[in-house]
Amino acid sequence: MSVLDLFKLDNKIALVTGCNKGLGKAMAIALAEAGADIIGVSASLELQGSDVEKVVKAAGRKFHAFQSDFSNRDDLYRFIRMVQQDFTTIDILVNNAGTVLRKPAAEHPDEYWDKVIAVNETAQFILAREFGKDMLKRGKGKIIFTASVLTFQGGINIPSYAASKGAIGSLVKALSNEWAAKGVNVNAIAPGYISTDNTAPLIADPARNRAILERIPAARWGEPSDLAGATVFLASAASDYMHGTIISVDGGWLGR
């Protein structure tokens, strides 16, 4: 087997959350281009004819669409049951779905905190636990979380988001401590400042945009496609000895 063969995902099924746009869409497309069929879920994902579905199918892979509101615990479990009924095996779980709500800490309301923690932290654990059970039985599987540079830093005006991403960093390590010896790889990607809907308010603010760009050694905002390589790596046999690792894709932000 050549080194390039290690990155192939032929005959694998990947479940990608938050795949309708931005990071999740780019991650789903990358996995499909590497050979995986995709199960996609998002609160707003079209059940037929979405952009991500078209690109995945153009790559010659299957795409199965679901909708779920991860802030609603009942809806989350409904989605999990549907996937488990329709698919006997999930080889790769990409826990990417997330949200951000901005207000200074002293004004950050309970409903902001509750929604962000539910989507970004609680749902991610439940999905990893429920699909991880089957991976443990089979003795193999790949789980990839979307962390953040705010897994390591505090940010400004987004205390719930920072708390949720800090928790993801610890969850990745906790799951790895229990599951690595059982053949399940749990790792994360920590994107830096990527141009998405979530960061649009920062890009639109001249002062914040300038301050952010001045601190990025690469001197540009990242694009969702910048996560493609790390995603395929962590989903493939090339990363079989990677456990509990958070890969930063941040244009050098954390190194600064």
Side-chain angles (χ1 to χ4, degrees), residues 98-177:
T99 190
V100 59
L101 295 171
R102 301 176 187 277
K103 267 190 182 298
E107 304 166 17
H108 209 74
D110 289 356
E111 55 267 27
Y112 276 28
W113 179 273
D114 291 344
K115 181 171 183 177
V116 171
I117 295 300
V119 174
N120 294 10
E121 181 180 343
T122 305
Q124 310 307 317
F125 170 69
I126 291 172
L127 288 162
R129 182 189 66 202
E130 295 304 306
F131 291 111
K133 290 176 183 178
D134 180 63
M135 293 178 180
L136 291 168
K137 289 178 183 177
R138 291 186 290 110
K140 60 181 177 180
K142 301 279 185 171
I143 300 177
I144 305 167
F145 286 84
T146 297
S148 169
V149 291
L150 296 191
T151 300
F152 310 99
Q153 300 175 327
I156 300 171
N157 296 332
I158 46 174
S160 54
Y161 183 85
S164 71
K165 292 303 183 178
I168 290 299
S170 292
L171 180 59
V172 165
K173 296 168 189 174
L175 294 178
S176 292
N177 288 343

Side-chain angles (χ1 to χ4, degrees), residues 4-20:
L4 293 179
D5 288 332
L6 292 174
F7 293 86
K8 292 181 179 178
L9 300 176
D10 298 346
N11 302 314
K12 301 294 186 182
I13 297 178
L15 168 56
V16 183
T17 72
C19 74
N20 193 40

Side-chain angles (χ1 to χ4, degrees), residues 69 72 216:
D69 176 3
N72 182 310
I216 300 174

Side-chain angles (χ1 to χ4, degrees), residues 28-29 32 36-38 51-63:
I29 291 169
D37 292 327
I38 305 299
D51 288 343
V52 63
E53 177 180 357
K54 292 174 183 175
V55 179
V56 167
K57 288 186 172 179
R61 309 314 310 167
K62 297 177 182 177
F63 185 84

